[in-house]
Amino acid sequence: MSITMDTTLASLVTNKRRVSALKSLGIVTVGDALTYYPFRVTEPVPLRAIREAAPGQQMAFAAVIRDMRVVPMNARRGYRLEATVDDADFARSRRVPGSTARLTFFSYRKSYVDWVSMRLRAGTSVVVSGMPSEYMGQLQFTHPEILTVAPGSAGAGAGLEGYARGAASGNGAFAGSTDPYASVQSAYPPAAAASSGAALKYDADTVQEALTRVCRPRPVYHASSRISSEHIHETILGLLWMMGARTSSTPDGQLAGAGSAGIVAPTTDTIAVQNGEENSGTTAESGAEALSQSIPDVLPESVRKAKNLMHRAEAFLAIHDPASTTRFKEAIGTLRYEEAFVSQTSLLKARSHAHKSAAHSCPLVTDSLRDQFIASLPFSLTAGQQQVIHDIAADLAHDWPMQRLLQGEVGSGKTVVALAAMLQAVDAGYQAVLVAPTQVLAEQHAETIGRMVEQLKPAIPVTLLTGGMKLAARRKALAAASSGEPGIIVATHAAFSKTFQAPHLALVVIDEQHRFGVEQRESLNAKTDDGTTPHLLVMTATPIPRTAAMTWFGDLDISWLTELPGGRKPIRTVVVNEADAATMGRMFAHIRARVDAGERAYIVCPRIDADDEGNEGGSGVSAAAGSARGRAAASGSSARTAAGGRATRAAADAIGIDDPYETFDENGETVARPPLHAVAEIADRLQKLPQFQGIRFATLTGRDKDDVKTQVMADFAGGETPILVSTTVIEVGVDVKQASCIVIFDADRYGLSQLHQLRGRVGRGGTNSWAFLISRAEPGSPAEQRLEVIHHSLDGAEIAQADLEFRGAGDVLGDAQSGGKSSLKLLRVVKDADMIADARTRAEQLLAADPELADEVQLAGAVLDFTRGNETFLTSS
């Protein structure tokens, strides 16, 4: 059968448990598997005879099994298997005396012990790779990697002459070769041991082949409790073999030729269909050609040659079966540039397409509503606000659609800028829509805007439309919108429904744009009755570094609001170790004092209920954001569940925490961390504290109905319940001017940008304000270092820059090892800025010559996939 990047693993892999485990990591197709990149590659393992062993230093050697025994462990359940090995022939090739060592295996499973016993029978030639230690005066290898070698033509000393001359260097280099692995192909997944009674299958035909396999660099993947890194690697290598790979990618930059040794095919115990197995005479050249045909290149040939990059098929092979660590890094560099080129081509095409559309021109008029509004404000606009309003006015006057991103700190006055733009559209005789991510925020916007425009002449209708409205009110709002009367409509996701029609829509303003996908935003284009495209202004308070914004919003014009209006006082940020009971007590006493002074306090927790493993979450994040993050989430970054166990990143995301800083051990598995705090648990504990006697608490989560959320916020703002315990549902847009304190539990588990957003909920009324970050991070740990950044800085751009740098190789549209549908997995916005700029320049040149990419079919397909797979843009991460 013909295998492509879109072929599903379920049709190829016979082990259905493995298929299910891979699916939990987001690996469903062959393409998913090949782009599930290892997070590191091991260094080559040096060859050493047993007498050259150094405890604690990895080594590999060839030997013969002398004896083997299985000992029941009487003091506890299970068995200990011990095998004695003799490396006389191998040691002779290294010109040192032979010696013996013990191989030790422990297991509770008799079936495992029987399997190992069958492989390690006396007289069997083996190659051993492991870490030596000393026990009872004898050298011991505990659970080493073992490859069995077929008897006959390849004894323990066979084929080792080439290693002898490399003995002095200790690296076992082949004679006459600077790279011991340049001309010998590592075998693909070892053949499994035969079932009881069947002939034993050996892992390698020769000692030289086995030594090469264990000594080569080996990729290590983020794994889970259901599947190990080794099994992930085995599956990917098997898929490459099926697609035509017969040799490895060699250091000279070419797919190895016919002179290289052939590779071992995966067994039918693992793979259902083996491409070309009917043709046992397949040559290395035809195999290399077949792989290139199965995995066509995406980059234009001229770009690839100019940048001296690998073919895409060659890069995949060099990543998943590297001949050297240098070769691995070169392959990563190739695919990283590919991501940069595809993303920049996509953004440039989107920008070009937008300028070809028609839009309603909204020029300023004399004595405009906009100017009346600005004159009526009880404060002066900042210089930044004035500049952005001027830029938007110029954009709206064009007959092609504005596409502008407005990024500003919490409280920097984005709403005033947006209202000025909407009034300009209304003055021109059209409608404007402001879309908010939550009903609470939509209601606040409608109330604020209604109050701001009530004195303007002529009167401006402000219509509120939310999904939670009663039927009669909703019908009235829909009728007002469909009338086409000039005015302002404030809506939630209801604006994307088929029942919403605004025939004279000229401007769409989207608040917190990362909560809405591209498809939702584009659905508003169909609301007009004359085929025009509305002007678009998207706003976000999520801090974005300028380099990142220029990279990922290349299809938009970008404006920044960096000044805060007068009267805002800086928020004092305090990091508190949860184990420090004295400091915790003083913090609660301080909050009580502020409440007694008529102020309000937020207490934020990641989860709703203590017994919720994967509840629908407290985040209050919209469905669009949830699905988008979930895509980045079906991830290889095995996120933690509420109980501290392994789960998908989607489960953690449902809990409402932006936790991009997973901690992995050296095998790629997640490290257990304490369970997250829950709203119900913390509210119950705090109400019992003496500091809060007589104080009423309220709780708010994403699970609450819209009318409940509205009432809870009203009671909180009015002071009936001055302490609100909530999930991150308050992260966006909640504006209670009396709120002066916020306590964030599990702060060490949040992203820095999310902490900055939450911190911005207080200090909005000009009072002194405090943010308390409660942490369980270990002293000196990276988590503690991250909190120090937000402790000492109130600059959103600086915090976002640090956030990206702390995430390391992760891309900003999703986790680096997400394995989901994000097209970006390797590109690093901060570190790869020069690469991205180069890719953008070359993409501009290509599009100037071939705007529709008619001559670059594979690139056109990749651009389309990128657009579909990255609907949430930067601020979703």
Side-chain angles (χ1 to χ4, degrees), residues 347-660:
L347 292 171
L348 289 168
K349 278 183 66 66
R351 189 181 185 93
S352 173
H353 178 75
H355 281 187
K356 293 178 182 177
S357 303
H360 292 297
S361 175
C362 303
L364 276 175
V365 297
T366 305
D367 191 26
S368 66
L369 290 170
R370 189 202 75 169
D371 292 342
Q372 289 183 48
F373 161 66
I374 293 174
S376 70
L377 290 173
F379 52 83
S380 298
L381 296 178
T382 65
Q385 286 174 312
Q386 294 177 32
Q387 181 61 51
V388 174
I389 289 173
H390 174 76
D391 292 342
I392 291 174
D395 288 346
L396 292 176
H398 294 145
D399 58 2
W400 66 81
M402 170 182 72
Q403 289 190 296
R404 183 172 291 275
L405 169 70
L406 175 58
Q407 194 235 296
E409 291 282 353
V410 173
S412 60
K414 296 187 297 298
T415 303
V416 169
V417 172
L419 182 51
M422 289 190 286
L423 289 174
Q424 184 171 336
V426 172
D427 227 357
Y430 299 109
Q431 295 168 292
V433 173
L434 170 62
V435 186
T438 66
Q439 176 165 327
V440 170
L441 184 54
E443 290 171 346
Q444 288 184 356
H445 276 317
E447 181 183 351
T448 301
I449 290 172
R451 193 168 55 246
M452 286 180 164
V453 303
E454 62 183 358
Q455 303 299 327
L456 301 184
K457 302 296 181 183
I460 308 298
V462 179
T463 304
L464 175 66
L465 175 62
T466 71
M469 296 173 70
K470 292 183 178 180
L471 184 59
R474 181 180 172 84
R475 284 177 173 171
K476 183 178 180 181
L478 288 171
S482 63
S483 71
E485 179 187 3
I488 295 172
I489 303 162
V490 181
T492 57
H493 287 77
F496 305 120
S497 70
K498 293 181 179 178
T499 56
F500 174 72
Q501 296 296 327
H504 294 161
L505 182 60
L507 172 64
V508 175
V509 179
I510 295 184
D511 195 12
E512 290 307 322
Q513 65 90 26
H514 62 291
R515 304 302 175 99
F516 306 100
V518 166
E519 292 176 1
Q520 288 178 306
R521 295 200 293 269
E522 290 184 348
S523 73
L524 290 171
N525 293 346
K527 304 301 182 183
T528 61
D529 61 358
D530 52 10
T532 58
T533 299
H535 298 282
L536 177 66
L537 174 65
V538 292
M539 305 191 299
T540 181
T542 303
I544 308 167
R546 284 180 179 259
T547 55
M550 295 296 287
T551 299
W552 301 125
F553 296 108
D555 58 331
L556 305 179
D557 296 307
I558 306 171
S559 297
W560 279 271
L561 288 179
T562 56
E563 305 169 72
L564 293 182
R568 292 293 298 270
K569 296 182 179 179
I571 302 168
R572 304 174 193 179
T573 304
V574 183
V575 179
V576 181
N577 189 316
E578 190 173 341
D580 185 349
T583 303
M584 292 284 286
R586 290 196 300 272
M587 176 188 73
F588 291 134
H590 171 80
I591 292 172
R592 174 59 189 262
R594 303 320 308 163
V595 168
D596 288 343
E599 296 168 11
R600 314 281 186 269
Y602 297 105
I603 312 289
V604 179
C605 306
R607 285 193 297 134
I608 297 176
D609 301 316
D611 58 353
D612 256 342
E613 294 278 329
N615 56 52
E616 62 76 43
S619 68
V621 174
S622 69
S627 64
R629 287 184 178 176
R631 275 192 297 277
S635 77
S637 318
S638 319
R640 315 304 306 171
T641 63
R646 289 184 178 89
T648 62
R649 172 77 178 271
D653 197 58
I655 291 168
I657 189 171
D658 173 16
D659 187 359

Side-chain angles (χ1 to χ4, degrees), residues 163-382:
Y163 285 85
R165 285 182 285 254
S169 66
N171 63 5
F174 290 116
S177 173
T178 57
D179 186 338
Y181 315 118
S183 61
V184 176
Q185 166 61 36
S186 72
Y188 273 59
S195 58
S196 179
L200 182 67
K201 294 181 180 178
Y202 294 93
D203 299 323
D205 291 331
T206 66
V207 170
Q208 183 169 309
E209 176 190 315
L211 286 170
T212 301
R213 284 172 56 185
V214 301
C215 290
R216 286 172 72 92
R218 190 168 311 177
V220 183
Y221 303 82
H222 285 316
S224 73
S225 59
R226 297 180 61 188
I227 187 168
S228 67
S229 174
E230 282 295 324
H231 284 158
I232 294 171
H233 188 211
E234 174 185 303
T235 303
I236 294 173
L237 291 180
L239 295 172
L240 284 168
W241 189 94
M242 295 169 66
M243 298 179 81
R246 296 296 182 269
T247 58
S248 180
S249 175
T250 57
D252 63 1
Q254 304 296 323
L255 289 172
S260 295
I263 65 172
V264 178
T267 68
T268 52
D269 294 337
T270 304
I271 299 295
V273 181
Q274 296 187 4
N275 183 35
E277 64 181 344
E278 73 286 349
N279 181 10
S280 58
T282 299
T283 65
E285 291 101 327
S286 63
E289 182 181 347
L291 184 64
S292 298
Q293 291 174 352
S294 299
I295 309 175
D297 217 343
V298 168
L299 288 174
E301 185 70 10
S302 59
V303 173
R304 188 170 71 82
K305 288 184 176 179
K307 298 295 293 181
N308 194 27
L309 302 173
M310 298 180 186
H311 188 281
R312 194 175 199 226
E314 182 187 354
F316 280 135
L317 199 54
I319 286 172
H320 296 296
D321 188 27
S324 66
T325 53
T326 299
R327 195 67 180 148
F328 174 84
K329 292 174 183 176
E330 290 174 358
I332 290 290
T334 290
L335 294 180
R336 184 172 285 148
Y337 190 89
E338 178 188 291
E339 289 185 354
F341 195 87
V342 169
S343 64
Q344 294 309 301
T345 303
S346 176
L347 292 171
L348 289 168
K349 278 183 66 66
R351 189 181 185 93
S352 173
H353 178 75
H355 281 187
K356 293 178 182 177
S357 303
H360 292 297
S361 175
C362 303
L364 276 175
V365 297
T366 305
D367 191 26
S368 66
L369 290 170
R370 189 202 75 169
D371 292 342
Q372 289 183 48
F373 161 66
I374 293 174
S376 70
L377 290 173
F379 52 83
S380 298
L381 296 178
T382 65

Side-chain angles (χ1 to χ4, degrees), residues 636-869:
S637 318
S638 319
R640 315 304 306 171
T641 63
R646 289 184 178 89
T648 62
R649 172 77 178 271
D653 197 58
I655 291 168
I657 189 171
D658 173 16
D659 187 359
Y661 308 113
E662 283 298 331
T663 303
F664 298 96
D665 62 21
E666 62 179 11
N667 294 319
E669 294 199 22
T670 49
V671 176
R673 293 189 287 184
L676 299 166
H677 288 298
V679 168
E681 163 213 353
I682 292 298
D684 182 62
R685 283 171 51 186
L686 295 186
Q687 290 180 83
K688 295 176 181 178
L689 293 178
Q691 292 97 325
F692 296 124
Q693 291 301 309
I695 297 294
R696 290 186 60 194
F697 282 67
T699 61
L700 183 66
T701 73
R703 188 181 291 168
D704 295 327
K705 294 182 178 179
D706 286 337
D707 57 342
V708 173
K709 292 178 184 176
T710 301
Q711 187 60 50
V712 167
M713 290 307 301
D715 291 345
F716 177 63
E720 293 182 39
T721 51
I723 297 181
L724 178 63
V725 185
S726 78
T727 57
T728 53
V729 70
I730 66 158
E731 178 183 353
V732 173
V734 173
D735 187 6
V736 177
K737 299 191 182 304
Q738 300 91 336
S740 63
C741 296
I742 185 167
V743 178
I744 305 172
F745 280 91
D746 295 304
D748 52 302
R749 305 277 287 274
Y750 287 81
L752 295 184
S753 294
Q754 190 177 26
L755 287 175
H756 185 61
Q757 278 276 73
L758 289 167
R759 178 170 62 178
R761 295 307 102 203
V762 298
R764 304 172 73 85
T767 61
N768 290 323
S769 55
W770 294 263
F772 299 98
L773 310 181
I774 312 302
S775 168
R776 288 182 281 186
E778 294 292 329
S781 66
E784 185 181 63
Q785 296 170 23
R786 290 196 300 270
L787 291 181
E788 283 302 301
V789 171
I790 203 157
H791 176 205
H792 293 293
S793 178
L794 293 171
D795 185 331
E798 178 183 331
I799 290 167
Q801 183 89 359
D803 207 1
L804 289 175
E805 290 172 355
F806 272 120
R807 298 186 193 204
D811 67 79
V812 291
L813 293 186
D815 205 344
Q817 289 298 330
S818 69
K821 294 187 177 179
S822 171
S823 301
L824 292 173
K825 299 183 181 182
L826 297 172
L827 200 60
R828 304 163 301 185
V829 169
V830 177
K831 296 181 180 179
D832 295 332
D834 291 343
M835 176 188 292
I836 293 166
D838 179 89
R840 189 176 184 87
T841 299
R842 294 179 187 274
E844 287 174 341
Q845 294 170 353
L846 176 67
L847 289 172
D850 185 4
E852 299 304 320
L853 299 178
D855 296 330
E856 301 292 344
V857 177
Q858 296 300 327
L859 176 61
V863 166
L864 184 61
D865 289 342
F866 175 86
T867 303
R868 290 172 175 169

